[in-house]
Amino acid sequence: MKIGIIGGSGYVGSELLRLLLMHPEVEVTMVTSRQNAGEFIFNMHPNLRGLTQLKFVPQDLSELQKNCDLIFTATPHGGSQTLVPPLLEAGLKVIDMSADFRLKNPADYETYYGWKHVQPEMLKQAVYGLPELHRDEIKSAQLIACPGCEATAAILGLAPLVRAGLVDPDKIVVDLKVGSSGGGSKPSVASHHPERSNGVRPYKVVGHRHIAEVEQELALLGGPVKVSFTPHAVNMVRGILATIHTFPKQPLTSKDLWRTLRGMYGNEPFIRLVKYLKGPYQLPDPKIVMGTNFCDVGFESDEHAGRLIMFSALDNMVKGAAGQGVQCLNILMGIDETTSLKSTGFHPI
């Protein structure tokens, strides 16, 4: 399959290239960038030096149609709304890495993103690109909307409990620690390294945009839920750790929880259940999933407070973005879902 990437100069574009250039079943034929057209890709992404001689090219619909079968759109939020429709009309499949087609309710874009969606009729057409929940729909999709990284961590940590109806749906608190790459390749004052380093900074502590995704997807599993959601910027480049506080409807044993988690994730290639009694990594830790498409999920019961704590850890650039996009691509192509994604993390790192 011939692949094009629109907006290939950012961090997500870089990770897509890293994975797709090593993919045995695809060929990357075009990578667009308005600012870097004519430059070798490895000048912007030095880790790709020696892997490709491709140059960034201007965005041209006729050239994309001529040279590609599927397009990854890795543009800033809001940019894909007008970009995707002509790609679909040209007969191309699209995997969108932005937020522009993730939400089914157009009003949620006004509430959480502050703009009115210009293609609301297309929202129902898009398939939410979380394979663990939508694998069958992804197989025949024309437009796949990849989830947000923080939303992915929250949903995967909560989905088994919500599907089984084990916890109070109105008392879910998601606390996330997030690496700086989640802010993209163009820093703001807040994401500038000297301002971020050596700190733990809460941001968007209420009304975070990913709440809409989390509530939307969990509602499909067990009815409406209400999620409290607060991320923190921490001193790491990659990774997300979600600590999720839930309150069971009735007492749950460890055996109950293992049965519930294995019932949903037992055959999932990129979900690992992590709960050990020895060693420093007894529960999920983003350090262990760096560079991989794994999401590690674990739990701990707090009998004193009647609380069940779920933990999920992932690399925001891989399972939280590009890796998930490639996983969806593999499903769409009907090939082994793990193609080009079978890699372990580094330890130590």
Side-chain angles (χ1 to χ4, degrees), residues 41-53:
I41 283 171
F42 60 73
N43 284 341
M44 181 62 66
H45 307 308
N47 59 315
L48 303 180
R49 188 174 289 119
L51 295 179
T52 179
Q53 292 297 309

Side-chain angles (χ1 to χ4, degrees), residues 21-338:
L21 289 172
M22 306 297 287
H23 196 298
E25 301 291 339
V26 307
E27 177 189 1
V28 179
T29 55
M30 293 183 67
V31 184
T32 79
S33 172
R34 289 190 174 94
Q35 292 183 335
N36 300 287
E39 294 283 342
F40 283 107
I41 283 171
F42 60 73
N43 284 341
M44 181 62 66
H45 307 308
N47 59 315
L48 303 180
R49 188 174 289 119
L51 295 179
T52 179
Q53 292 297 309
L54 281 172
K55 293 182 178 181
F56 292 110
V57 297
Q59 185 178 308
D60 184 312
L61 179 60
S62 63
E63 289 297 311
L64 290 165
Q65 186 178 16
K66 187 191 308 179
N67 293 291
C68 304
D69 303 308
L70 180 143
I71 303 294
F72 282 90
T73 47
T75 54
H77 299 322
S80 292
Q81 296 179 79
T82 55
L83 184 61
V84 166
L87 295 173
L88 295 176
E89 290 169 10
L92 298 166
K93 294 179 183 291
V94 177
I95 299 178
D96 183 33
M97 308 306 296
S98 80
D100 290 15
F101 296 96
R102 293 172 187 166
L103 305 179
K104 299 303 179 184
N105 183 356
D108 284 340
Y109 283 97
E110 298 183 55
T111 301
Y112 289 98
Y113 288 86
W115 40 260
K116 189 172 183 177
H117 205 288
V118 298
Q119 302 286 347
E121 70 283 352
M122 293 187 64
L123 297 177
K124 291 182 180 179
Q125 175 187 347
V127 174
Y128 191 74
L130 190 63
E132 291 78 11
L133 268 61
H134 296 287
R135 185 171 282 108
D136 289 342
E137 298 161 74
I138 291 169
K139 291 176 181 177
S140 58
Q142 291 295 118
L143 171 59
I144 296 170
C146 272
C149 52
E150 295 170 32
T152 297
I155 293 167
L156 292 177
L158 283 162
L161 306 182
V162 173
R163 188 178 76 159
L166 298 181
V167 297
D168 186 336
D170 293 324
K171 292 182 180 178
I172 297 172
V173 180
V174 183
D175 177 301
L176 305 104
K177 308 300 186 294
V178 184
S180 60
S181 58
S185 59
K186 295 181 179 178
S188 65
V189 172
S191 64
H192 187 43
H193 188 75
E195 301 299 333
R196 186 179 181 119
S197 184
N198 299 317
V200 179
R201 184 191 306 126
Y203 67 95
K204 197 58 179 173
V205 295
V206 296
H208 192 280
R209 58 182 54 173
H210 283 173
I211 291 172
E213 284 179 63
V214 177
E215 292 186 344
Q216 169 184 286
E217 295 302 308
L218 294 179
L220 299 176
L221 298 173
V225 299
K226 184 172 290 186
V227 174
S228 301
F229 192 102
T230 299
H232 300 73
V234 299
N235 189 23
M236 60 185 183
V237 173
R238 287 175 178 252
I240 294 175
L241 175 67
T243 302
I244 306 168
H245 307 272
T246 68
F247 297 87
K249 294 178 180 178
Q250 65 272 333
L252 297 171
T253 66
S254 182
K255 188 177 292 186
D256 294 331
L257 294 165
W258 277 113
R259 187 183 301 114
T260 300
L261 292 172
R262 286 176 176 147
M264 183 163 186
Y265 292 146
N267 295 316
E268 287 295 338
F270 293 114
I271 305 291
R272 302 187 300 194
L273 302 180
V274 179
K275 182 173 168 59
Y276 297 106
L277 299 178
K278 295 181 179 180
Y281 298 101
Q282 298 180 17
L283 289 164
D285 187 323
K287 180 174 180 175
I288 304 304
V289 295
M290 297 290 184
T292 81
N293 200 51
F294 289 113
C295 178
D296 287 354
V297 176
F299 67 88
E300 190 59 77
S301 295
D302 178 2
E303 294 182 5
H304 171 74
R307 182 175 55 131
L308 170 61
I309 314 154
M310 299 299 299
F311 301 92
S312 61
L314 53 78
D315 184 331
N316 57 293
M317 300 305 300
V318 190
K319 183 58 175 170
Q324 188 138 259
V326 173
Q327 189 178 354
C328 289
L329 171 67
N330 291 338
I331 295 169
L332 190 64
M333 292 177 68
I335 62 175
D336 185 339
E337 195 168 320
T338 65

